[in-house]
Amino acid sequence: MESDNDTQISEFLLLGLSEDPELQPLIFGLFLSMYLITVLGNLLIILAVSSDSHLHTPMYFFLANLSFADICFTSTTIPKMLWNIQTQSQVITYAGCVSQMYFVLLFAGWDDFLLTVMAYDRFVAICHPLHYTVIMNPWLCGLLVLVSWVISVLNSLLQSLMVLRLSFCTEVEIPHFFCELNQVVGQACSDMFLNNMVMYFATVLLGLAPLPGILYSYFKIVSSICQISSIQGKYKAFSTCASHLSMVSSFYCTGLGVYLSSPAPQSSHSGAVASVMYTVVMPMLNPFIYSLRNRDIKRALKRIVGIPVI
């Protein structure tokens, strides 16, 4: 590669999920609908938790933070995608791409840590019910959220600064609907070894490290549930964890799968399709999964919309 091409470019091209012009209106309508459902659903969860004093508990405190993170997560990618489709443009500026990467990593990491904290909360509630209010006190809950936020900020800042050291060739095309870290790094003309090492190390450390804690928590939870004599008691205990377990498994399978895999070639959109699951679908499903099986949330939502609560 000649040195005049090895420059700091001013913009990238986001190829999106499909380059077929006939599919663009369908993709626009689908993602606009999912985005509105995500924002409205998660806002209702936040409003329900904040307005109902019965929901001022650690579990719902973490759930409200997760809903806030999900709103921010989808808002970093979908609006830009919709704007590009509407204006028939694939351009994103270099500064915009780096900024988008920063916030995607920030809120994805925060999601990851919040899911871990929620697993610990369920572990304490089921395995140590008599000490639950003492262990999960407001100070500890706030500290866990704060630490999760700080670690996510530092990781996203490090990864974004590492991208700034790379040089890119002209006309960089990213086969994605947003600037995902491994896709952007894969387009660099300069040496990517250090970036790849930092990216994989951070993925393993921050992504896989919480997984043993989650698995241990649910192993102890299942063991405690099996010791409950009544079937009704077992069902109640398991129902409080089933929704969280489904979210954890879906988030980890898609998110880690994308970041631990090698960057796809430019003609491949498989990575973009996989990313839709953890960036769009999972935040959209969160309110439904956590509310449909939860009587307290449904009762609070009925009060908000004015439906009589029996």
Side-chain angles (χ1 to χ4, degrees):
M1 187 66 61
E2 296 181 9
S3 58
D4 58 343
N5 286 334
D6 197 21
T7 58
Q8 190 66 54
I9 63 174
S10 60
E11 61 185 30
F12 295 140
L13 296 180
L14 295 174
L15 301 185
L17 295 175
S18 173
E19 296 184 74
D20 186 351
E22 296 181 356
L23 290 178
Q24 299 309 307
L26 176 62
I27 294 175
F28 181 88
L30 179 62
F31 276 78
L32 177 61
S33 301
M34 290 194 293
Y35 178 66
L36 293 177
I37 292 172
T38 300
V39 173
L40 179 60
N42 283 288
L43 278 177
L44 284 174
I45 293 293
I46 296 174
L47 185 59
V49 172
S50 60
S51 63
D52 193 331
S53 60
H54 295 93
L55 301 182
H56 293 174
T57 62
M59 181 177 72
Y60 295 113
F61 172 71
F62 296 134
L63 178 57
N65 278 274
L66 182 66
S67 294
F68 174 73
D70 284 339
I71 293 174
C72 297
F73 193 16
T74 54
S75 296
T76 60
T77 57
I78 304 304
K80 176 58 179 175
M81 175 191 180
L82 297 176
W83 174 260
N84 281 4
I85 294 176
Q86 186 67 21
T87 59
Q88 298 182 355
S89 171
Q90 296 177 322
V91 173
I92 184 171
T93 64
Y94 177 81
C97 187
V98 174
S99 300
Q100 190 178 64
M101 267 191 302
Y102 172 82
F103 287 109
V104 166
L105 291 169
L106 169 61
F107 293 113
W110 200 24
D111 255 16
D112 178 28
F113 286 116
L114 285 174
L115 290 172
T116 306
V117 169
M118 292 172 73
Y120 175 71
D121 173 72
R122 292 299 84 205
F123 162 72
V124 176
I126 294 176
C127 299
H128 305 283
L130 298 179
H131 303 285
Y132 178 70
T133 54
V134 176
I135 297 175
M136 300 303 296
N137 57 74
W139 184 86
L140 178 62
C141 293
L143 180 63
L144 290 173
V145 171
L146 178 61
V147 170
S148 301
W149 173 262
V150 170
I151 295 176
S152 301
V153 167
L154 293 177
N155 172 60
S156 57
L157 182 62
L158 172 63
Q159 299 284 4
S160 301
L161 291 176
M162 290 294 296
V163 172
L164 295 179
R165 61 179 290 273
L166 297 175
S167 298
F168 295 90
C169 307
T170 57
E171 289 296 318
V172 175
E173 296 182 344
I174 301 174
H176 218 300
F177 64 95
F178 69 95
C179 290
E180 192 164 49
L181 177 63
N182 60 341
Q183 291 287 347
V184 174
V185 171
Q187 307 300 320
C189 295
S190 54
D191 182 32
M192 302 175 291
F193 176 78
L194 183 59
N195 290 76
N196 286 328
M197 288 299 100
V198 172
M199 180 173 62
Y200 291 138
F201 178 76
T203 302
V204 171
L205 182 63
L206 304 180
L208 290 179
L211 191 57
I214 294 175
L215 294 177
Y216 174 78
S217 296
Y218 276 98
F219 172 77
K220 298 297 290 184
I221 287 172
V222 171
S223 300
S224 298
I225 292 176
C226 291
Q227 296 176 6
I228 299 176
S229 56
S230 66
I231 297 178
Q232 184 178 2
K234 289 183 179 180
Y235 174 79
K236 183 178 179 180
F238 182 75
S239 63
T240 61
C241 304
S243 56
H244 179 261
L245 189 58
S246 64
M247 294 304 304
V248 168
S249 56
S250 301
F251 183 85
Y252 269 89
C253 288
T254 55
L256 291 180
V258 168
Y259 279 93
L260 289 178
S261 61
S262 300
Q266 291 188 5
S267 60
S268 174
H269 290 267
S270 57
V273 175
S275 297
V276 170
M277 283 299 296
Y278 81 92
T279 59
V280 183
V281 177
M282 300 315 302
M284 180 185 68
L285 294 179
N286 268 355
F288 297 99
I289 292 177
Y290 282 107
S291 63
L292 291 179
R293 297 171 59 90
N294 191 305
R295 294 180 180 178
D296 295 330
I297 290 288
K298 287 191 289 186
R299 188 181 298 113
L301 291 175
K302 287 180 180 180
R303 289 197 185 98
I304 292 174
V305 298
I307 299 176
V309 179
I310 300 176

